[in-house]
Amino acid sequence: MRLLERIRKEWFMIGIVLAIAGAKLEPSIGVNGGPLKPEITVSYIAVATIFFNSGLSLNTEELTSALVHIKLHLFIQIFTLAFFPAAIWLFLQLLSITPINEWLLKGLQTVGCMPPPVSSAVILTKAVGGNEVMSAMLLFYILFYFGTTESCPRKCITILGSSSSVPFTSIFSQLFMTVVVPLIIGQIVRRYIKDWLERRKPPFGAVSSSVLLMIIYTTFCDTFSNPNFDLDKFSLILILFTICSIQLSFMLLTFIFSTRNNSGFTPADTVAIMFCSTHKSLTLGIPMLKIVFAGHEHLSLISVPLLIYHPVQILLGSVLVPTIKSWMVSRQKVRL
């Protein structure tokens, strides 16, 4: 029974391993032009499904009460969209002198450009008892994210040294049609079936995760069908160590910044800041990379750091939950 319960909880992580293994065994099924036709089913249908599903599940009815936490949101956005990518870039200048695979390094830089997630960060914040207003603000974050100077896609393309001939208009129109439009439509539909959704509680997370596994599978099918694919174990181990170090360092940094005497943040705010500022969205990130770097021969290597970052942030967060919760309770007692 314990084994079955463990599998039920970790099915998505197991699914990632199986998807990559399946792509290794028979890559011809999921390559562009193959039986799955990922250039249509993944690039358009799968991505749009994920964000329509997100639109249905987002409880933005709480948005009014969430808007009063302006300082909290500004801190998280500045840290996520400005400090995080800049710090990663500086850190990678040091790693560039090592023999680590250059495409993994560039993939790690794209991780820095990704937005915060709604799932892992909010779940961990709730587990500790922190401020949960982030969940109500996700829709605004996504619209802001795509509206600020075409932030992530342009940053990613710049990072990878693509030429000025990149079809920005085509990329952003596809991102708008497959990300923003389905998200907004999902929110509109939610207004009409809200009571049914709250009564039946559909498995939104399972649906998005299943579609995401298909995207991961087709991404690695393209990789393993490429005879020039090469990933050494040293690079992989070093990237794993680097990601763990980055997450722990940034969590400590956000904790120090948000607990200063003049910060104005409550202990509950600090918990939200620690998780929401340092976590990155796999659900947003993988489809975005799939669109921006469609057909790129090193797409899967670019995706590897994000695929590692996701389980690491959940694992580290889960391990730290009891310690952070004890700290928050003790601080709240002192404030009383």
Side-chain angles (χ1 to χ4, degrees):
M1 289 298 292
R2 287 185 178 181
L3 178 61
L4 291 175
E5 182 67 16
R6 183 79 175 178
I7 291 174
R8 188 184 67 81
K9 289 182 178 180
E10 306 294 339
W11 74 270
F12 181 62
M13 301 303 174
I14 296 172
I16 291 178
V17 174
L18 292 177
I20 295 174
K24 175 68 173 176
L25 290 173
E26 192 52 63
S28 61
I29 296 176
V31 296
N32 284 340
L36 286 181
K37 300 293 182 185
E39 62 273 19
I40 298 174
T41 58
V42 170
S43 297
Y44 293 93
I45 299 174
V47 175
T49 299
I50 285 178
F51 288 98
F52 174 75
N53 188 58
S54 295
L56 278 178
S57 62
L58 287 175
N59 186 18
T60 47
E61 290 83 358
E62 299 174 2
L63 196 55
T64 303
S65 61
L67 285 172
V68 300
H69 300 269
I70 295 174
K71 189 175 181 180
L72 172 63
H73 299 304
L74 281 177
F75 183 98
I76 292 171
Q77 287 304 299
I78 291 171
F79 192 94
T80 301
L81 299 179
F83 178 83
F84 200 118
I88 292 292
W89 182 84
L90 289 172
F91 184 62
L92 291 183
Q93 301 313 300
L94 298 175
L95 285 180
S96 63
I97 63 175
T98 70
I100 191 171
N101 187 290
E102 66 170 313
W103 294 104
L104 288 180
L105 291 179
K106 291 179 177 181
L108 187 56
Q109 182 68 75
T110 65
V111 170
C113 301
M114 294 299 160
V118 65
S119 54
S120 60
V122 173
I123 290 170
L124 290 170
T125 300
K126 186 175 181 178
V128 175
N131 194 327
E132 299 175 49
V133 297
M134 282 292 296
S135 58
M137 289 295 291
L138 182 65
L139 178 59
F140 270 14
Y141 284 166
I142 292 173
L143 295 177
F144 171 79
Y145 188 70
F146 284 101
T148 48
T149 63
E150 304 154 339
S151 57
C152 176
R154 190 175 290 276
K155 283 180 184 176
C156 289
I157 291 170
T158 303
I159 287 165
L160 299 186
S162 298
S163 68
S164 58
S165 61
V166 171
F168 282 106
T169 302
S170 174
I171 289 173
F172 292 117
S173 58
Q174 184 178 350
L175 281 171
F176 182 78
M177 293 303 298
T178 58
V179 175
V180 179
V181 171
L183 191 69
I184 294 174
I185 291 175
Q187 278 287 290
I188 294 172
V189 173
R190 177 184 171 83
R191 290 178 178 273
Y192 293 97
I193 60 172
K194 179 185 173 183
D195 293 338
W196 181 84
L197 290 173
E198 292 180 350
R199 186 171 63 253
R200 299 299 296 270
K201 300 188 183 302
F204 293 116
V207 171
S208 291
S209 296
S210 299
V211 177
L212 193 57
L213 288 176
M214 178 184 174
I215 296 176
I216 293 170
Y217 169 72
T218 56
T219 298
F220 278 88
C221 281
D222 283 335
T223 299
F224 293 126
S225 64
N226 182 358
N228 298 320
F229 175 73
D230 181 34
L231 176 60
D232 59 285
K233 293 180 180 178
F234 171 77
S235 295
L236 198 59
I237 293 171
L238 190 54
I239 281 292
L240 176 60
F241 176 77
T242 301
I243 286 173
C244 291
S245 301
I246 287 171
Q247 289 197 29
L248 286 173
S249 299
F250 283 6
M251 287 185 76
L252 178 61
L253 197 59
T254 53
F255 177 81
I256 293 172
F257 283 159
S258 60
T259 54
R260 293 179 303 170
N261 292 332
N262 59 347
S263 69
F265 294 120
T266 66
D269 290 339
T270 295
V271 173
I273 287 171
M274 287 176 66
F275 289 126
C276 298
S277 299
T278 59
H279 282 209
K280 295 296 181 179
S281 175
L282 183 70
T283 306
L284 279 170
I286 291 297
M288 199 180 302
L289 291 177
K290 189 76 174 178
I291 293 172
V292 175
F293 302 115
H296 197 292
E297 62 176 328
H298 297 294
L299 173 59
S300 59
L301 286 177
I302 296 168
S303 305
V304 164
L306 185 57
L307 289 172
I308 295 175
Y309 200 98
H310 177 73
V312 169
Q313 70 188 9
I314 294 174
L315 178 61
L316 286 178
S318 301
V319 169
L320 292 173
V321 160
T323 303
I324 297 174
K325 188 170 185 176
S326 297
W327 169 84
M328 191 187 75
V329 171
S330 64
R331 282 297 298 271
Q332 287 176 332
K333 287 180 179 178
V334 171
R335 290 170 69 93
L336 293 174

Coordinates of all heavy atoms in Angstrom, one line a residue, residues 237-270:
I237 N 26.0 16.2 -13.6 CA 26.2 16.2 -12.2 C 26.5 17.7 -11.7 O 26.0 18.1 -10.7 CB 27.4 15.3 -11.7 CG1 27.0 13.8 -12.0 CG2 27.7 15.5 -10.3 CD1 28.1 12.8 -11.8
L238 N 27.3 18.4 -12.5 CA 27.7 19.7 -12.1 C 26.5 20.7 -12.2 O 26.3 21.5 -11.3 CB 28.8 20.3 -13.0 CG 29.4 21.6 -12.6 CD1 29.9 21.5 -11.1 CD2 30.6 21.9 -13.5
I239 N 25.6 20.5 -13.2 CA 24.4 21.3 -13.3 C 23.5 21.0 -12.2 O 22.8 21.9 -11.6 CB 23.7 21.0 -14.7 CG1 24.4 21.7 -15.8 CG2 22.2 21.4 -14.6 CD1 24.2 23.2 -15.8
L240 N 23.3 19.7 -11.8 CA 22.5 19.4 -10.6 C 23.0 20.1 -9.3 O 22.2 20.7 -8.6 CB 22.5 17.9 -10.4 CG 21.7 17.3 -9.2 CD1 20.2 17.7 -9.3 CD2 21.8 15.8 -9.1
F241 N 24.3 20.0 -9.1 CA 24.9 20.7 -7.9 C 24.7 22.2 -8.0 O 24.4 22.8 -7.0 CB 26.4 20.3 -7.9 CG 27.1 21.0 -6.7 CD1 27.0 20.6 -5.4 CD2 27.9 22.1 -7.0 CE1 27.6 21.2 -4.4 CE2 28.5 22.8 -6.0 CZ 28.4 22.4 -4.7
T242 N 24.8 22.7 -9.2 CA 24.7 24.2 -9.4 C 23.3 24.6 -9.1 O 23.0 25.6 -8.4 CB 25.0 24.6 -10.8 OG1 26.4 24.2 -11.1 CG2 24.9 26.1 -11.0
I243 N 22.3 23.8 -9.5 CA 20.9 24.2 -9.3 C 20.5 24.1 -7.8 O 19.8 25.0 -7.3 CB 20.0 23.2 -10.1 CG1 20.1 23.6 -11.6 CG2 18.5 23.3 -9.7 CD1 19.3 22.7 -12.5
C244 N 21.0 23.1 -7.1 CA 20.8 23.0 -5.7 C 21.4 24.2 -5.0 O 20.7 24.8 -4.1 CB 21.3 21.7 -5.1 SG 20.5 20.2 -5.7
S245 N 22.6 24.6 -5.4 CA 23.3 25.7 -4.7 C 22.5 27.0 -5.0 O 22.4 27.9 -4.1 CB 24.7 25.8 -5.2 OG 25.4 24.6 -5.0
I246 N 22.1 27.2 -6.2 CA 21.3 28.4 -6.6 C 20.1 28.5 -5.7 O 19.8 29.6 -5.2 CB 21.0 28.4 -8.1 CG1 22.3 28.7 -8.9 CG2 20.0 29.5 -8.4 CD1 22.1 28.5 -10.4
Q247 N 19.3 27.5 -5.7 CA 18.0 27.5 -4.9 C 18.3 27.8 -3.4 O 17.6 28.7 -2.9 CB 17.3 26.2 -5.1 CG 16.7 26.1 -6.5 CD 15.6 25.0 -6.6 OE1 14.9 24.8 -5.6 NE2 15.5 24.4 -7.7
L248 N 19.2 27.1 -2.8 CA 19.5 27.4 -1.4 C 20.0 28.8 -1.2 O 19.6 29.5 -0.2 CB 20.5 26.3 -0.9 CG 20.0 24.9 -0.7 CD1 21.1 24.0 -0.4 CD2 18.9 24.9 0.4
S249 N 20.9 29.3 -2.0 CA 21.4 30.6 -1.9 C 20.4 31.7 -2.0 O 20.3 32.6 -1.2 CB 22.6 30.8 -2.9 OG 23.6 29.9 -2.7
F250 N 19.5 31.5 -3.0 CA 18.5 32.5 -3.3 C 17.4 32.5 -2.2 O 16.8 33.6 -1.9 CB 17.9 32.3 -4.7 CG 18.7 32.8 -5.8 CD1 20.0 33.3 -5.5 CD2 18.3 32.8 -7.1 CE1 20.8 33.8 -6.6 CE2 19.1 33.3 -8.1 CZ 20.3 33.8 -7.9
M251 N 17.1 31.3 -1.7 CA 16.1 31.3 -0.6 C 16.7 32.0 0.6 O 15.9 32.7 1.3 CB 15.8 29.8 -0.3 CG 14.9 29.1 -1.3 SD 14.4 27.5 -0.8 CE 13.1 27.8 0.4
L252 N 18.0 31.8 0.9 CA 18.6 32.5 2.0 C 18.6 34.0 1.8 O 18.4 34.8 2.7 CB 20.0 31.9 2.2 CG 20.8 32.6 3.3 CD1 20.2 32.3 4.7 CD2 22.3 32.0 3.4
L253 N 18.9 34.4 0.6 CA 19.0 35.8 0.2 C 17.6 36.5 0.4 O 17.5 37.6 1.0 CB 19.5 35.9 -1.2 CG 20.0 37.3 -1.6 CD1 21.2 37.7 -0.8 CD2 20.4 37.2 -3.1
T254 N 16.6 35.8 -0.1 CA 15.2 36.4 0.0 C 14.8 36.5 1.5 O 14.1 37.4 1.9 CB 14.2 35.6 -0.8 OG1 14.2 34.2 -0.4 CG2 14.4 35.8 -2.3
F255 N 15.2 35.5 2.3 CA 14.9 35.4 3.7 C 15.6 36.6 4.4 O 15.0 37.3 5.2 CB 15.4 34.1 4.3 CG 15.2 34.0 5.8 CD1 14.0 33.7 6.3 CD2 16.2 34.3 6.7 CE1 13.7 33.6 7.7 CE2 16.0 34.2 8.1 CZ 14.8 33.9 8.6
I256 N 16.9 36.9 4.1 CA 17.6 38.0 4.7 C 17.0 39.3 4.3 O 16.7 40.2 5.2 CB 19.1 37.9 4.3 CG1 19.8 36.7 4.9 CG2 19.8 39.2 4.7 CD1 21.2 36.5 4.4
F257 N 16.7 39.5 3.1 CA 16.1 40.8 2.6 C 14.7 41.0 3.2 O 14.4 42.2 3.6 CB 15.9 40.7 1.1 CG 17.2 41.0 0.3 CD1 17.3 40.6 -1.0 CD2 18.3 41.6 0.9 CE1 18.5 40.8 -1.7 CE2 19.5 41.8 0.2 CZ 19.6 41.4 -1.1
S258 N 13.9 40.0 3.3 CA 12.5 40.2 3.8 C 12.3 40.2 5.3 O 11.2 40.5 5.8 CB 11.6 39.1 3.2 OG 12.0 37.8 3.5
T259 N 13.4 39.9 6.0 CA 13.3 39.9 7.5 C 14.0 41.1 8.1 O 14.1 41.1 9.4 CB 13.8 38.6 8.1 OG1 15.1 38.3 7.6 CG2 12.9 37.4 7.7
R260 N 14.5 42.0 7.3 CA 15.1 43.2 7.9 C 14.1 44.0 8.7 O 12.9 44.0 8.4 CB 15.8 44.0 6.8 CG 16.9 43.4 6.1 CD 17.5 44.3 5.0 NE 16.4 44.6 4.0 CZ 16.5 45.5 3.1 NH1 17.6 46.3 3.0 NH2 15.5 45.8 2.3
N261 N 14.6 44.7 9.6 CA 13.7 45.5 10.5 C 12.8 46.5 9.8 O 11.6 46.7 10.1 CB 14.5 46.2 11.6 CG 15.1 45.3 12.6 OD1 14.6 44.2 12.8 ND2 16.3 45.7 13.1
N262 N 13.3 47.0 8.7 CA 12.6 48.1 8.0 C 11.9 47.5 6.7 O 11.5 48.3 5.8 CB 13.5 49.2 7.6 CG 14.7 48.8 6.8 OD1 15.0 47.6 6.6 ND2 15.3 49.8 6.2
S263 N 11.9 46.2 6.5 CA 11.3 45.6 5.3 C 9.8 45.8 5.2 O 9.3 45.9 4.1 CB 11.7 44.1 5.2 OG 11.0 43.4 6.2
G264 N 9.1 45.7 6.3 CA 7.7 45.9 6.3 C 6.9 44.6 6.0 O 5.7 44.6 5.8
F265 N 7.6 43.5 5.9 CA 7.0 42.2 5.6 C 6.7 41.4 6.9 O 7.5 41.4 7.8 CB 7.9 41.4 4.7 CG 8.1 41.9 3.3 CD1 9.3 42.2 2.8 CD2 7.0 42.2 2.5 CE1 9.5 42.8 1.6 CE2 7.1 42.7 1.2 CZ 8.4 43.0 0.7
T266 N 5.6 40.7 6.9 CA 5.2 39.9 8.0 C 5.9 38.5 7.8 O 6.4 38.2 6.7 CB 3.7 39.6 8.1 OG1 3.3 38.9 6.9 CG2 2.9 40.9 8.1
P267 N 6.0 37.7 8.8 CA 6.5 36.3 8.7 C 5.8 35.5 7.6 O 6.5 34.8 6.8 CB 6.3 35.7 10.0 CG 6.4 36.8 11.0 CD 5.7 38.0 10.3
A268 N 4.5 35.7 7.4 CA 3.8 35.0 6.4 C 4.2 35.5 5.0 O 4.3 34.7 4.0 CB 2.3 35.2 6.6
D269 N 4.5 36.8 4.9 CA 4.9 37.4 3.6 C 6.3 36.8 3.3 O 6.6 36.5 2.1 CB 5.0 38.9 3.7 CG 3.7 39.6 3.8 OD1 2.7 38.9 3.4 OD2 3.6 40.7 4.3
T270 N 7.2 36.7 4.3 CA 8.5 36.1 4.0 C 8.5 34.7 3.5 O 9.2 34.4 2.5 CB 9.3 36.1 5.4 OG1 9.5 37.5 5.8 CG2 10.7 35.5 5.2

